[in-house]
Amino acid sequence: MSARSNHRRPRRRATRVLAVAAGLATAGALVAALPASAGQDHAGAGKGGKKHTVDVQLLSFNDFHGNLQPPAGSSGQVTEKQADGTEKKIDVGGVEYLATSLRTARKAHPYSVTAAAGDLIGASPLLSGLFHDEPTVQAMNKLDLDVTSVGNHEFDEGAKELARIQNGGCHPKDGCYEKDKRGKAKEFEGADYPYLAANVTDEKTGKPLLKPYWVWKHKGVKIGFIGVTLEGTPDIVSADGVKGLKFHDEIETVNKYAKILDKQGVKSIVTLIHEGGVPASQSYNYDCDSPAAGGGISGPITDIAKGITPKVDALVTGHTHNAYVCTVPDPAGKPRMVTSASSFGKLYTDTTLTYDRRTKDIVRTSVRSANHVVSRAQAKAPDMTSLISRWDKLAAPIANKAVGHISADIPGRGATTPESPLGDLIADAQLAHAKSLDPEADLALMNPGGIRSDIVYKASGGEGDGVVTYGEAFTVQPFSNTVNLVDLTGAQLVTALKQQVSGANANSPKILQISDGLTYTLDMTKSGADRVVADSVKLNGKALDPAATYRVALNSFLAGGGDGLPELGKGAKPLVGADDLKAFNDYLSANSSADKPLAPPKADRITVIK
């Protein structure tokens, strides 16, 4: 069964694919060159002089999030460790450069497969997000992406929209965006590559939502790919996006399908998993295996990697937007490659998998891998430039509209502190909107993951320095959440603040961004809920009264208990306001002008003890 049998156009590398669904009987360098033998049969002759191993090139990336154009500010940079031990920031990313990097890397590699680990779409800048990420899917098709796992953001618009992304068809509400040469509506063709979702099932039928695995075949070489997202996806996606779905344990799911592939004679297996780790260094080229194998990484992926069956030969990971190439021991104690290529198309990973034709398995001791920068110093891919130009023309009337003015960069995603200037600004904007609905509104809370970028002073186009455009604001807040008002007691607010650093968030705190007037102390020398100093929580200089009721503004994601903050989902007397992007734009327009630009907030509302 061809992976492309249900699509309307031929596969550009048709010899590279074979889809296998569950239950079927057949079921920093720009390009660091691998050894000259890469991709060639080698490593000793068998009977009759036939060589029995071949190097397969696995190119991978993750968390692209629709960043077709080079990301602005720190979102478009990586840190590179230099030979003398110093570090250097490099401007990277943009699909025009990613395409060039991947195509150059594939040269002289007749055995090459390209895979991704989820979040290719969702939380995207306006150029892609305005069109429900159809431009990004088209770009991934042109990149010759072979396969990807789903990530949590693939569920932002729900299972039906994800099915449309896979199979094609025009959007049920917005219709078709493009026209053919005759001026007729041109239907979106969907993804050429399969989305894998092994651990996502329909609650009613128990069947996988999408294919759980896929097998790449080329000249007798077979490598299976199992795709999973993090089990905790429902905690970080709006309830509507995952309605009717069940998310299962990553280790149990991968082990289940690895056994199925093994029985089908597929001995070489790669897992694409949308879950990740935290590196010991922010330099993409640091040594993750110092002082020992996997010694330079922590976080959820380490325990998952140690629990996944030795039948799996490598793990391509994502979600945390970090960069690492590590060898984490499998349950049998053997080294196994675990990689992640940052985010937004800033890096790609080049892994060599040595395939033994006799055993049909990967020779683990020969596996090599490295992350490479997607430099903007190289030539742009003309077909990607054309794609961007086509969609940019459709988006321009909306994207280029000025909505505000700033006096300097306002860091958000790129901030290095728990509280960010942009987070404060967004919280203030939501409180202002809430007060227009209910003058009794007291405070606002904003989830950090909902802030997708920085706002940069330097002009991104022809708008002029310091001008904030609608497109730039959209990039910061692309989720179309509403600003909601709820009643919470002082005790509930303190509980919610403690949930930021305990329970589901104990190992990876999610620090809420807070509106002006709310202050407290966060003591990171302590553990769990004790990190929030309860008696330090004050509103306008006055300690919170545990028994008093406060009117709280928060987006619809948090109002549903998202980000592992269930206490926020218990609010009373809910009132639904406008779209959060509208609230943000309205605030910028009302509080800034060319003559009086808005200065970055000081981000001093949370006192952090380290």
Side-chain angles (χ1 to χ4, degrees):
M1 175 179 174
S2 170
R4 304 293 167 254
S5 60
N6 62 337
H7 288 278
R8 287 170 287 282
R9 60 184 176 282
R11 178 68 171 165
R12 286 171 292 279
R13 289 181 287 160
T15 59
R16 292 172 46 176
V17 299
L18 174 68
V20 184
L24 291 179
T26 57
L30 291 179
V31 178
L34 291 174
S37 62
Q40 307 297 321
D41 289 317
H42 62 86
K47 192 173 183 180
K50 186 175 181 180
K51 296 175 182 178
H52 59 75
T53 63
V54 59
D55 283 343
V56 176
Q57 179 189 57
L58 170 61
L59 300 176
S60 59
F61 57 95
N62 50 277
D63 296 276
F64 185 74
H65 289 292
N67 278 263
L68 298 172
Q69 296 168 311
S74 60
S75 295
Q77 294 181 325
V78 293
T79 302
E80 182 178 79
K81 188 175 182 179
Q82 306 299 297
D84 62 1
T86 61
E87 294 182 341
K88 180 173 81 170
K89 295 284 187 181
I90 304 174
D91 292 329
V92 290
V95 77
E96 295 159 295
Y97 304 109
L98 178 62
T100 297
S101 290
L102 294 178
R103 290 164 183 170
T104 303
R106 290 183 189 125
K107 291 179 180 178
H109 291 275
Y111 296 84
S112 184
V113 57
T114 303
D119 275 9
L120 299 183
I121 59 173
S124 304
L126 183 137
L127 182 62
S128 186
L130 185 64
F131 306 106
H132 299 279
D133 281 311
E134 290 181 20
T136 292
V137 175
Q138 290 183 358
M140 294 298 107
N141 288 342
K142 289 178 178 293
L143 280 179
D144 280 334
L145 179 65
D146 286 298
V147 61
T148 183
S149 67
V150 294
N152 54 288
H153 282 288
E154 263 79 25
F155 294 94
D156 282 348
E157 296 188 49
K160 287 185 179 179
E161 174 63 5
L162 178 54
R164 187 185 76 88
I165 289 295
Q166 176 70 88
N167 300 316
C170 295
H171 193 270
K173 290 184 179 179
D174 295 341
C176 301
Y177 295 112
E178 296 191 288
K179 295 181 180 180
D180 60 22
K181 293 180 180 179
R182 295 174 295 176
K184 293 186 178 181
K186 185 178 180 182
E187 189 171 275
F188 171 59
E189 295 186 342
D192 279 351
Y193 47 91
Y195 269 102
L196 305 182
N199 68 330
V200 186
T201 59
D202 185 290
E203 282 185 342
K204 293 181 179 178
T205 66
K207 294 181 179 179
L209 177 68
L210 298 169
K211 288 183 175 71
Y213 59 88
W214 176 86
V215 178
W216 176 80
K217 290 186 70 176
H218 186 58
K219 295 182 180 180
V221 175
K222 295 191 294 184
I223 298 178
F225 289 84
I226 302 169
V228 297
T229 186
L230 69 156
E231 185 182 8
T233 291
D235 295 330
I236 53 176
V237 174
S238 66
D240 287 343
V242 294
K243 188 176 181 180
L245 302 177
K246 190 171 183 180
F247 292 76
H248 302 272
D249 181 84
E250 303 95 336
I251 297 173
E252 292 176 3
T253 302
V254 172
N255 290 353
K256 169 186 173 181
Y257 286 107
K259 189 177 294 185
I260 290 173
L261 283 169
D262 184 66
K263 287 182 179 179
Q264 293 177 356
V266 180
K267 307 295 183 180
S268 298
I269 302 171
V270 174
T271 290
L272 308 174
I273 178 167
H274 192 70
E275 179 61 289
V278 179
S281 169
Q282 290 304 305
S283 297
Y284 78 88
N285 57 339
Y286 80 108
D287 183 2
C288 186
D289 289 334
S290 176
I297 188 175
S298 59
I301 198 61
T302 55
D303 288 337
I304 292 173
K306 291 174 183 177
I308 286 178
T309 173
K311 294 180 187 295
V312 173
D313 298 295
L315 279 69
V316 176
T317 75
H319 186 55
T320 59
H321 291 205
N322 288 318
Y324 45 83
V325 173
C326 313
T327 51
V328 180
D330 68 15
K334 296 180 179 178
R336 177 166 57 191
M337 196 63 72
V338 179
T339 70
S340 177
S342 185
S343 62
F344 303 166
K346 295 185 290 188
L347 302 173
Y348 71 92
T349 311
D350 192 337
T351 302
T352 301
L353 301 173
T354 300
Y355 181 90
D356 190 321
R357 293 184 182 277
R358 297 171 305 179
T359 64
K360 300 180 181 180
D361 206 351
I362 299 299
V363 182
R364 290 266 202 94
T365 53
S366 298
V367 174
R368 307 183 300 281
S369 188
N371 277 327
H372 303 291
V373 297
V374 176
S375 171
R376 298 180 198 170
Q378 63 189 314
K380 297 179 180 180
D383 58 337
M384 295 300 176
T385 301
S386 177
L387 181 147
I388 289 172
S389 177
R390 197 174 77 242
W391 286 102
D392 196 39
K393 193 174 295 184
L394 292 174
I398 297 173
N400 296 333
K401 180 183 177 182
V403 295
H405 298 78
I406 58 174
S407 62
D409 289 354
I410 304 182
R413 193 78 176 185
T416 57
T417 52
E419 178 188 359
S420 71
L422 187 51
D424 286 356
L425 179 59
I426 292 172
D428 289 346
Q430 294 191 0
L431 179 58
H433 177 70
K435 283 185 175 292
S436 72
L437 303 173
D438 183 350
E440 299 300 316
D442 294 300
L443 60 105
L445 305 172
M446 174 64 192
N447 61 305
I451 305 166
R452 305 306 299 181
S453 185
D454 306 328
I455 294 183
V456 181
Y457 178 79
K458 185 179 179 181
S460 58
E463 74 275 13
D465 291 347
V467 178
V468 182
T469 65
Y470 183 90
E472 290 167 339
F474 185 100
T475 298
V476 171
Q477 288 195 279
F479 293 110
S480 296
N481 287 314
T482 55
V483 178
N484 294 10
L485 270 168
V486 296
D487 280 355
L488 292 168
T489 66
Q492 286 180 299
L493 279 169
V494 172
T495 297
L497 292 177
K498 289 184 174 182
Q499 287 174 344
Q500 301 175 108
V501 289
S502 62
N505 296 322
N507 295 325
S508 183
K510 294 185 175 68
I511 306 304
L512 293 166
Q513 307 299 287
I514 57 179
S515 58
D516 189 27
L518 183 63
T519 57
Y520 72 95
T521 298
L522 189 63
D523 188 348
M524 298 306 289
T525 66
K526 297 181 179 178
S527 61
D530 289 340
R531 290 170 171 170
V532 173
V533 181
D535 59 6
S536 72
V537 185
K538 296 179 180 180
L539 183 61
N540 299 320
K542 185 179 179 181
L544 283 188
D545 181 349
T549 298
Y550 298 88
R551 198 72 169 140
V552 182
L554 66 179
N555 63 31
S556 47
F557 171 68
L558 287 177
D563 259 358
L565 303 169
E567 198 65 29
L568 295 181
K570 300 176 183 179
K573 297 181 181 179
L575 176 63
V576 178
D579 179 278
D580 56 0
L581 178 59
K582 182 182 186 305
F584 186 48
N585 288 340
D586 287 350
Y587 187 84
L588 288 172
S589 297
N591 291 277
S592 70
S593 65
D595 295 334
K596 295 182 179 180
L598 193 67
K602 295 180 180 179
D604 57 359
R605 300 166 189 178
I606 303 174
T607 300
V608 181
I609 300 174
K610 297 180 180 180

